[in-house]
Amino acid sequence: MCGPEWLEQGMKHVWLPYTQMQTTLPPLPAVSTDGCTITLADGTELVDGIASWWTACHGYNHPHIHQAVSAQLIRMPHVMFGGLVNEPALTLARRLATMLPGDLDRVFFTDSGSVAVEVAMKMAIQYWLNRGQTGRTRLVAFRGGYHGDTMATMAVCDPEEGMHSLYQGALPEHFIADLPVNAAGMQALDTLLAQSAGSIAAIIVEPLVQGAGGMLFHTPDVLRTLRELADRHGVLLILDEIFTGFGRTGTMFACEQAGIVPDIITLSKALTGGTMALAATVARTHVFDAFLSDDPLHALMHGPTFMANALACACANASLDLFDTEPRLQQVAAIETQMRDELESCRSLPHVVDVRVMGAIGVVELDCISDMNALKSALIAQGVWVRPFRNIVYLTPAFTVTRSELSHLTKAIRTVVSELGQAARIGARPLRTDLV
């Protein structure tokens, strides 16, 4: 491995995410970021096409967020949220409650999306326990779904197509159903709920886009169906908007496009503009009220050490300021139009089975990716940071990406996917793997 001393020395001691450490390419040493650019230790600049796992919605190093972080760091970077509160957290809770639809107005802060979903699951199960219904301990989740990597959330991910099939038998069993995308699917879910509602606490779904499951899209009608079925059978509805929240699908929250209000919603990723770790689980009034009691055991017994971290909440408030003062949703609409135009030509390339765009999400789906390392290397050689997974190459750029930067990204994908097809057709050597 070549690179700075800190890279060579430190790599001996880290365990990378989602990575087979024996066969993976060496990671790239990033030393600075600005706007939509990542600079590596050797001076190479890459246009970031995925906004650091969909978080850096305003681009990197936005001065307004920097100013908020600096000011809060001087005043108070952190204070425990047990018995104490802080102004950034309470201001953020009020602002989120104002922005979210309906009476989603009680905010429980955590520090990661997976934990936010675990809290939502605990809320849903304890909601029924506090009401004297002890058997409602299972959730309905969906094939193609992903809700996190911790033990409880793995149990509501797709058990076959997801990343956690090795853990079958070690996880609680929930109901995994097909999304009700048509009349038959709606009837099947209706039947499941009718037969098992007495054991079901909630339905959980990623609205409009199942992200890590393959960037699978569905229509707002699916969400309306889920709200109708949840109401019909008396179960709660949880929307996991960790990926879709804060403008990614074209509206501030994906549920707005369906005109529905979930009982619980989870938020993270772009909440702080990609600056610090923070997540939130937000419940409607009737959910919160079920925890109010003279019985201390009816309280929600959960409390992350860095819950409502003042520094992270200051970042989030600054991020929300930018949604108020800069044209983020208009930028998302422009990104959607440009990606539709510029990715469409991929549809005719060999091995491409679908091209789809929603908001600031662009997807080129292949029949398979036989050499992931080679594909990643070829994209880096084009001067872009794009991280394909499973059988898709996708873009989730910052909303501040320029037209020329976005064209650079889409051209890189067209070029690499085209070369992949040509190599397969003529039996040529595979894409090079020695480019990083």
Side-chain angles (χ1 to χ4, degrees):
M1 182 186 301
C2 298
E5 183 178 358
W6 59 262
L7 175 68
E8 296 186 28
Q9 295 299 317
M11 279 303 299
K12 301 173 184 177
H13 305 286
V14 297
W15 196 332
L16 299 175
Y18 305 123
T19 298
Q20 174 46 259
M21 297 289 289
Q22 182 164 296
T23 60
T24 189
L25 294 172
L28 305 180
V31 296
S32 66
T33 55
D34 184 64
C36 292
T37 301
I38 300 170
T39 301
L40 306 182
D42 65 359
T44 299
E45 294 185 345
L46 302 176
V47 179
D48 186 358
I50 58 172
S52 278
W53 270 331
W54 329 327
T55 63
C57 56
H58 310 292
Y60 295 110
N61 294 18
H62 195 289
H64 182 66
I65 298 179
H66 271 202
Q67 291 165 8
V69 171
S70 298
Q72 188 61 44
L73 184 63
I74 294 170
R75 285 194 301 271
M76 182 178 67
H78 179 66
V79 67
M80 65 186 291
F81 211 60
L84 298 170
V85 294
N86 63 80
E87 180 275 326
L90 268 59
T91 296
L92 178 58
R94 174 186 54 79
R95 294 178 74 178
L96 290 174
T98 300
M99 296 171 64
L100 287 163
D103 60 339
L104 285 161
D105 60 3
R106 288 288 180 166
V107 182
F108 191 98
F109 289 113
T110 55
D111 47 15
S112 79
S114 184
V115 177
V117 173
E118 292 225 5
V119 169
M121 295 170 70
K122 287 177 68 172
M123 284 179 179
I125 292 169
Q126 191 175 343
Y127 171 84
W128 296 108
L129 292 172
N130 285 358
R131 292 171 53 139
Q133 299 188 40
T134 59
R136 304 184 75 156
T137 59
R138 302 176 72 181
L139 276 73
V140 175
F142 298 99
R143 292 182 179 86
Y146 170 83
H147 300 283
D149 299 331
T150 51
M151 292 299 286
T153 58
M154 285 196 297
V156 289
C157 295
D158 188 312
E160 296 177 1
E161 297 299 326
M163 297 175 281
H164 307 131
S165 58
L166 287 175
Y167 292 89
Q168 288 188 29
L171 301 173
E173 291 189 5
H174 296 285
F175 295 104
I176 308 298
D178 291 322
L179 270 173
V181 297
N182 51 38
M186 181 176 178
Q187 182 59 55
L189 184 57
D190 190 18
T191 299
L192 170 62
L193 292 169
Q195 293 173 344
S196 305
S199 66
I200 293 171
I203 299 168
I204 184 168
V205 68
E206 300 159 89
L208 299 187
V209 186
Q210 293 177 303
M215 297 294 173
L216 306 172
F217 297 174
H218 55 267
T219 68
D221 284 341
V222 172
L223 303 182
R224 285 188 281 268
T225 294
L226 293 177
R227 180 72 273 179
E228 177 188 340
L229 291 175
D231 291 341
R232 182 185 306 170
H233 296 283
V235 302
L236 300 179
L237 177 62
I238 302 169
L239 293 192
D240 179 354
E241 290 233 26
I242 287 165
F243 171 35
T244 57
F246 304 103
R248 183 57 64 180
T249 66
T251 50
M252 198 63 176
F253 303 102
C255 60
E256 295 175 35
Q257 297 183 41
I260 65 166
V261 181
D263 299 291
I264 303 171
I265 194 169
T266 59
L267 306 169
S268 189
K269 293 292 186 189
L271 176 57
T272 67
T275 305
M276 295 190 69
L278 185 67
T281 305
V282 189
R284 292 179 66 178
T285 300
H286 68 276
V287 175
F288 176 78
D289 285 350
F291 289 76
L292 300 179
S293 171
D294 293 331
D295 186 348
L297 294 179
H298 281 196
L300 179 62
M301 300 305 292
H302 200 98
T305 301
F306 284 92
M307 177 180 182
N309 172 257
L311 201 56
C313 291
C315 288
N317 281 313
S319 178
L320 295 187
D321 291 343
L322 295 175
F323 280 104
D324 288 339
T325 59
E326 298 187 3
R328 291 293 178 261
L329 296 184
Q330 295 95 314
Q331 290 169 320
V332 171
I335 291 168
E336 180 176 40
T337 297
Q338 185 176 349
M339 287 200 296
R340 286 189 190 281
D341 291 343
E342 295 181 359
L343 291 177
E344 181 60 27
S345 61
C346 292
R347 195 179 297 276
S348 61
L349 296 176
H351 301 290
V352 173
V353 299
D354 192 28
V355 176
R356 51 188 180 271
V357 176
M358 180 189 296
I361 307 167
V363 182
V364 176
E365 181 179 347
L366 307 176
D367 53 10
C368 68
I369 297 177
S370 58
D371 190 337
M372 184 65 77
N373 284 344
L375 184 59
K376 290 178 179 178
S377 297
L379 288 163
I380 292 166
Q382 294 290 321
V384 300
W385 178 244
V386 176
R387 187 178 168 88
F389 69 97
R390 295 179 60 173
N391 65 324
I392 66 167
V393 185
Y394 75 96
L395 294 174
T396 51
F399 303 157
T400 54
V401 66
T402 66
R403 284 191 62 86
S404 61
E405 288 171 330
L406 187 54
S407 289
H408 187 174
L409 289 163
T410 57
K411 181 181 179 182
I413 289 176
R414 291 196 308 271
T415 298
V416 170
V417 172
S418 177
E419 290 177 351
L420 180 69
Q422 291 172 4
R425 276 203 309 272
I426 64 177
R429 293 167 58 191
L431 293 168
R432 291 175 60 194
T433 60
D434 59 344
L435 299 174
V436 292

